Amino acid sequence: MAQDTERKGAKVAKGSKGTARGTYAVGDARRQKILDTAVEHFAQWGFNASSLARIAADCGITQGGLLHHFRGKEDLLLSVLAQSERHDVERLFSVPAESVAAHFATVVDLAADNERRPGIVRMFNTLVGESGNPDHPAHAYFTQRYTRVLGYTVELLEAGVARGELRPDTDCEGVGREILAVMDGLQIQWVLAPANVDMPARLRGFLDRLLRDIAATGTP
């Protein structure tokens, strides 16, 4: 009798654990759907004109259901941006580049990856424009992001100078800013006319010319 009771208890516990896992999976899937939907809304309307109610409706849930996952519209915005950055880092920058040429190749891969995520690129361009206002909730994020990306790029270029890949008089900060400017400019052109701009090819051509210009004499 005691053994039967123990077996029944084990089945209940096992069932409860399975139910809990299923509940978590449903919650994770719903949270991801909210993030994906928010990308499209922020891309089309920006932050200020986007509505939590509309985002929730497009997800098939109530606004209260959305707020179960995110504290508010600002929290949702910053979560979307953090997810996008994690994707870039994990997919392309998790392993340090062995050379400047290898880093440039990774940057081109990022441009190609972005062509497969048009919503993210449109959102990025929209929010960067909005966040020039210091009161915008993403102002600090984009300010810090550009500082971080520029610093990472400058360190790679300086390491290239130290290894003898690049000319000793290379203006690493100036080159880093130029790379970021060209990347952002190509993204804007691509968003406006995707069929007319091959973003990875244009970026590859620019970086190849740049590398030839700053490469140390005798570097292949």
Side-chain angles (χ1 to χ4, degrees):
M1 187 74 173
Q3 289 179 344
D4 289 342
T5 302
E6 185 177 346
R7 280 196 295 269
K8 289 179 181 178
K11 288 180 180 179
V12 170
K14 184 177 180 181
S16 299
K17 187 175 181 181
T19 301
R21 280 200 298 268
T23 301
Y24 289 140
V26 170
D28 289 345
R30 179 166 294 171
R31 188 176 192 278
Q32 187 59 54
K33 183 174 178 59
I34 295 170
L35 289 168
D36 293 341
T37 304
V39 167
E40 298 302 325
H41 281 249
F42 291 145
Q44 186 168 353
W45 291 292
F47 173 79
N48 294 321
S50 290
S51 159
L52 285 182
R54 286 201 302 264
I55 294 171
D58 282 356
C59 291
I61 60 176
T62 64
Q63 185 169 332
L66 186 153
L67 291 172
H68 175 73
H69 297 276
F70 301 95
R71 293 188 299 274
K73 189 164 68 166
E74 182 173 336
D75 181 38
L76 177 57
L77 170 68
L78 296 178
S79 296
V80 165
L81 292 172
Q83 175 182 258
S84 176
E85 185 153 346
R86 279 197 304 273
H87 171 276
D88 293 346
V89 171
E90 292 170 3
R91 180 171 172 77
L92 298 167
F93 299 108
S94 57
V95 179
E98 297 180 354
S99 66
V100 174
H103 172 65
F104 284 1
T106 300
V107 171
V108 172
D109 288 342
L110 176 60
D113 198 50
N114 282 342
E115 283 196 334
R116 295 186 286 271
R117 302 189 298 159
I120 290 290
V121 178
R122 289 196 302 269
M123 181 192 72
F124 183 90
N125 288 337
T126 299
L127 294 177
V128 165
E130 282 187 348
S131 67
N133 179 353
D135 294 329
H136 192 279
H139 178 81
Y141 167 81
F142 281 111
T143 300
Q144 294 164 10
R145 181 183 185 280
Y146 273 99
T147 299
R148 185 167 60 251
V149 173
L150 177 62
Y152 177 76
T153 304
V154 170
E155 286 181 5
L156 282 166
L157 294 170
E158 289 176 341
V161 171
R163 287 192 298 266
E165 296 173 42
L166 306 182
R167 288 171 18 200
D169 62 344
T170 300
D171 177 3
C172 294
E173 181 175 342
V175 169
R177 290 188 182 279
E178 186 177 353
I179 293 170
L180 295 183
V182 171
M183 289 178 66
D184 284 355
L186 285 172
Q187 283 193 157
I188 292 171
Q189 293 179 52
W190 181 79
V191 164
L192 293 173
N196 298 335
V197 180
D198 186 336
M199 190 161 48
R202 291 292 180 184
L203 184 57
R204 183 184 299 109
F206 164 73
L207 292 174
D208 286 348
R209 292 191 301 273
L210 175 64
L211 187 55
R212 287 196 297 270
D213 185 51
I214 62 177
T217 303
T219 302

